[in-house]
Structures are given as structure tokens and as C-alpha cells.
Amino acid sequence: GAVVSQHPSRVICKSGTSVKIECRSLDFQATTMFWYRQFPKQSLMLMATSNEGSKATYEQGVEKDKFLINHASLTLSTLTVTSAHPEDSSFYICSARDGRGALNIQYFGAGTRLSVL
Amino acid sequence: AQTVTQSQPEMSVQEAETVTLSCTYDTSENNYYLFWYKQPPSRQMILVIRQEAYKQQNATENRFSVNFQKAAKSFSLKISDSQLGDTAMYFCAFMKANAGNMLTFGGGTRLMVKP
């Protein structure tokens, strides 16, 4: 299957700082990427849909000024958690849609564990 | 809106035996896709199997197969000859066709394979 790289895998930061997470599709072009948040022992919650060259679409309840998404190329989307606070501590996962053919499969990055002190 | 329900929060199975994970969904759509993803302790989401709603034939991938009942809106996953490496969270997911490719996930089933 296709490969999606997510970096960093783990980040610890102080309250009030901003953190950037990168999501790259390594062997395919992804016009659409997705960002999820996962709390311990829970399912994945879609935060936003990232579209190359246009603004992201945020799910209800997700602050777009808090979670900035940039999808500047067909292989890279970034999520920036601005002015992070302890309640933002979570596991963040990205996925990229492989649009080749009609498979409509999303491939996932390995996730980023964010800990805000 | 679509909803996906996995009614079994936790399950266990002996190594080499067979286990079935349940998934039901609610939708008014006729054209859609269904998926099972596996999330092992590493937390990397891995696609296990995929089913198109317009196909009556159940999808199969080696030891993994599904029982897709469109009228009943049921999509169960059967794991045969369970292996220790199958221990993971399993998520059932729904995707509408031609609608942004968003996935709606169920709450997950934690599967433990015992030696």
C-alpha cells in the first residue's frame, strides 16, 4: 500500500508555544488529507479536511484559529497547534487519500503524541 | 449523517481460533464503501479489508473476510487462524462515495489474542 509519513512522532512542549506536525504522502499525490484526534482508548475524531491549494474544512467544534492547517503541495499537509495548552495534549493522526484508480482508500501516518506541560 | 456502531468494546480469542467482530451502520446512501482498520499498540492505523457496497460478493484478504449484509446494514469481520500479531484495536469505518472521502469510524473493538 501507499506510505504516509508523519513527523514528529512525539513532541513535548511548554504551555503557550506552537507546535507544527507534518504529514507527507511519499509515493503518491494526495489532493486531500485528513487530520484526526484520538483520545486514549477512544476512536478517531475527524478534525479537518485539508485540500491542496485551498482552505481546510473544519468539523464542528474545532477551532480553526487554534489548529492551523496548510496544504501547500500535493504531498504535504501541516497542522500547527497554536498557543498549545495542556488540554491540547492528545494523539494526532493524519491520513491521505490515494486517488489513483477508484479505490478511495485513506492511508494513515503513524501519529504524533503531543504532550503540553 | 452516518453512524457506525461496534457493539463489542473488547473481545478475546485463543491463538489459531476464529473470531468475528461486529459492525452495524446507519445511512440513507446507496453507494458507499466500508472498511476495517487495525490499530496495534504502535498506534499505526493499517487497512485490513475494504468492501464496495455495490458488490454482493464478500471481500476476503487471506485470513480476513467480511460478511456484508447490505439490507441489514451489517459489516462483520472474521479473523481465521488468529495470531498473536492480530492483537489490536479494530475500527469499522464508512465512506460515502463521491462525497469528499471522509471516513466515519465506529468506537472500536479491542481484540486480544491469547497464546
Side-chain angles (χ1 to χ4, degrees):
Chain A
V3 179
V4 174
S5 173
Q6 186 173 343
H7 179 80
S9 58
R10 178 92 190 250
V11 59
I12 302 171
C13 68
K14 292 183 179 180
S15 186
T17 60
S18 294
V19 174
K20 180 184 285 188
I21 302 169
E22 292 188 348
C23 182
R24 296 180 185 270
S25 55
L26 296 187
D27 52 359
F28 65 100
Q29 293 184 333
T31 56
T32 305
M33 292 185 175
F34 302 88
W35 288 96
Y36 298 85
R37 185 170 179 175
Q38 186 179 29
F39 291 102
K41 297 186 178 182
Q42 294 190 22
S43 187
L44 281 72
M45 289 176 42
L46 180 65
M47 298 174 65
T49 302
S50 170
N51 299 296
E52 187 267 336
S54 65
K55 291 183 179 180
T57 304
Y58 290 83
E59 295 300 301
Q60 190 173 6
V62 178
E63 298 176 57
K64 61 181 180 181
D65 295 329
K66 173 76 169 176
F67 299 100
L68 298 179
I69 291 171
N70 184 279
H71 194 157
S73 79
L74 286 171
T75 58
L76 173 64
S77 175
T78 60
L79 168 69
T80 301
V81 183
T82 62
S83 186
H85 291 283
E87 58 265 29
D88 299 322
S89 297
S90 190
F91 192 68
Y92 294 88
I93 308 176
C94 73
S95 71
R97 171 186 169 260
D98 185 350
R100 294 173 292 186
L103 297 179
N104 286 309
I105 293 174
Q106 283 189 31
Y107 293 97
F108 286 80
T112 298
R113 183 181 303 279
L114 171 63
S115 300
V116 185
L117 304 179
Chain B
Q2 285 64 231
T3 58
V4 179
T5 303
Q6 294 177 247
S7 59
Q8 306 149 314
E10 293 187 1
M11 293 191 73
S12 63
V13 63
Q14 291 296 132
E15 196 175 6
E17 304 215 329
T18 296
V19 65
T20 299
L21 308 184
S22 300
C23 173
T24 58
Y25 58 95
D26 187 22
T27 184
S28 57
E29 302 290 325
N30 189 53
N31 195 12
Y32 52 87
Y33 306 92
L34 295 163
F35 304 84
W36 278 98
Y37 280 91
K38 166 185 178 181
Q39 188 179 41
S42 67
R43 302 194 76 172
Q44 169 74 61
M45 293 285 284
I46 301 166
L47 177 66
V48 175
I49 201 164
R50 171 183 176 273
Q51 173 83 41
E52 295 102 323
Y54 64 86
K55 287 188 176 179
Q56 291 188 335
Q57 185 173 8
N58 290 321
T60 299
E61 288 288 344
N62 302 313
R63 298 183 295 107
F64 299 89
S65 61
V66 298
N67 183 2
F68 173 47
Q69 301 289 328
K70 190 172 184 180
K73 297 179 182 175
S74 170
F75 183 61
S76 61
L77 174 70
K78 185 171 83 171
I79 305 174
S80 303
D81 186 25
S82 297
Q83 300 176 358
L84 296 178
D86 295 333
T87 292
M89 280 290 287
Y90 287 81
F91 292 100
C92 177
F94 174 99
M95 176 192 289
K96 283 197 298 185
N98 304 318
N101 303 110
M102 291 193 308
L103 284 170
T104 300
F105 285 94
T109 295
R110 184 175 302 277
L111 176 67
M112 173 74 72
V113 180
K114 298 180 178 179

